[in-house]
Amino acid sequence: LDDETDPKDMLKILIKENLWLGVLFMFLNAFVVAATTEEICKYFGFWMMEHPDLLTPQEDGAVEEVEIGRSRRSLNSKGVATTIAMVITAVGFSCCENLKYVFSSADIETEIGTLIARSMFPVHALAAAIQSIGVCRRDLEGDKSVQLGRIIIPAVILHGCFDFFLMVSPILSIVNHADDITTDDDVSKEAEARYNMYVEVCQRYGAINDDVWQPTEDGSDAAAGQQMSQTDVIITTTAFGLSILSVVVGTIYYIVQSSRQTKRLHSLDMARAEGSTLGLVV
């Protein structure tokens, strides 16, 4: 760059050469601002709940001593209760978040579209279910090495990837259109493009005389240039596909980890039952 460089050309160069800044910003926004903050909020939202199904082993033992004759619940049953409680907390959080985004729009069509789009993938509920694996491992399996970090990190990775792929898409599109930064001539062509759009709509409904009102050639070229390019379509489709893939991978991860944990909890239940039987025999 030199002193004689046009400001618009300078802006184009800065956008193209500093793509990594935009990507880094969206990465931090997705993984730190959104994912980490929201997953911690959901964890402590669950932590503040009080319910007999969510008692600690010490509290649960005290209740069982008081309630004589009550059958002891299995660890798997308590694990299911923990997962349900965490998912319910996440759904409540998601509902509040969705309402904020939906009612920030001005028209009903955008509000309905936003609601449908945000309801298609239950990322919050899935992330909470993944968190419940760590909570059950700490509270039911007795693995004290599992603390807050190990509980939320898998959920943060899922949540962050889902958000990041969607957030980085506009950045890539901006770089793709860096050369389209308008000049004074472009502004006049844009006005002609809007004129052509109105003329074509009126012609479609027979509201004007076609012999008098005709689209201009310059405006037609500008309107064609404003259409989404093939590269934009590829960027948007790829980003959306990667977000869906992150949900699929997260679902598979939860199913595998949940199945393994179910077997471990069943083994602990069997060991506890054998210990109780031996105690009665003695």
Side-chain angles (χ1 to χ4, degrees):
L1 299 178
D2 51 48
D3 295 338
E4 297 181 358
T5 303
D6 185 89
K8 293 185 176 64
D9 293 334
M10 185 182 299
L11 181 59
K12 296 176 184 179
I13 294 172
L14 288 175
I15 291 175
K16 290 181 177 180
E17 293 184 353
N18 293 278
L19 168 63
W20 67 274
L21 283 175
V23 174
L24 177 61
F25 174 78
M26 288 305 172
F27 180 87
L28 295 175
N29 193 24
F31 283 90
V32 179
V33 177
T36 301
T37 303
E38 293 178 5
E39 294 307 319
I40 290 177
C41 288
K42 289 188 291 183
Y43 171 82
F44 283 106
F46 159 78
W47 182 70
M48 289 187 290
M49 294 179 64
E50 290 189 9
H51 191 276
D53 289 337
L54 308 177
L55 294 175
T56 64
Q58 294 78 12
E59 294 169 333
D60 185 57
V63 171
E64 288 179 352
E65 289 178 2
V66 173
E67 298 182 5
I68 301 175
R70 177 184 173 185
S71 61
R72 179 181 289 182
R73 294 191 60 183
S74 69
L75 293 177
N76 269 316
S77 177
K78 294 179 181 180
V80 171
T82 299
T83 301
I84 292 174
M86 298 197 75
V87 170
I88 289 174
T89 303
V91 170
F93 180 94
S94 177
C95 180
C96 293
E97 186 182 45
N98 288 345
L99 289 175
K100 182 193 74 171
Y101 282 107
V102 167
F103 291 111
S104 63
S105 303
D107 58 283
I108 187 65
E109 293 182 358
T110 303
E111 290 177 351
I112 294 175
T114 302
L115 179 62
I116 294 175
R118 294 188 62 85
S119 301
M120 289 176 62
F121 304 104
V123 177
H124 281 297
L126 178 58
I130 291 175
Q131 280 196 44
S132 71
I133 299 293
V135 172
C136 291
R137 187 161 188 173
R138 181 193 63 191
D139 296 344
L140 301 181
E141 297 183 52
D143 187 350
K144 299 305 179 183
S145 65
V146 178
Q147 296 300 322
L148 177 61
R150 290 183 62 182
I151 290 172
I152 70 169
I153 283 177
V156 168
I157 293 174
L158 163 67
H159 193 162
C161 286
F162 180 83
D163 286 351
F164 173 72
F165 292 133
L166 294 178
M167 290 179 178
V168 80
S169 175
I171 299 297
L172 299 178
S173 295
I174 289 174
V175 174
N176 181 46
H177 289 281
D179 293 328
D180 299 338
I181 295 177
T182 59
T183 61
D184 294 338
D185 293 337
D186 295 328
V187 172
S188 62
K189 289 182 179 179
E190 184 177 350
E192 291 186 20
R194 288 197 297 269
Y195 163 79
N196 287 346
M197 181 181 67
Y198 298 142
V199 169
E200 290 173 0
V201 171
C202 292
Q203 287 177 342
R204 190 178 306 127
Y205 291 97
I208 58 175
N209 187 339
D210 296 348
D211 296 331
V212 177
W213 300 96
Q214 293 290 333
T216 62
E217 294 182 0
D218 291 341
S220 299
D221 295 338
Q226 291 179 348
Q227 296 178 357
M228 180 176 287
S229 67
Q230 184 178 4
T231 304
D232 291 331
V233 174
I234 294 174
I235 291 173
T236 303
T237 304
T238 302
F240 188 69
L242 289 173
S243 292
I244 295 176
L245 180 62
S246 65
V247 175
V248 173
V249 172
T251 302
I252 294 173
Y253 173 84
Y254 170 72
I255 292 173
V256 172
Q257 294 298 323
S258 178
S259 176
R260 292 176 179 175
Q261 187 167 70
T262 298
K263 295 177 181 178
R264 293 196 302 269
L265 293 177
H266 179 70
S267 299
L268 291 173
D269 278 329
M270 294 298 293
R272 186 171 65 172
E274 291 176 1
S276 300
T277 303
L278 291 175
L280 291 174
V281 171
V282 173

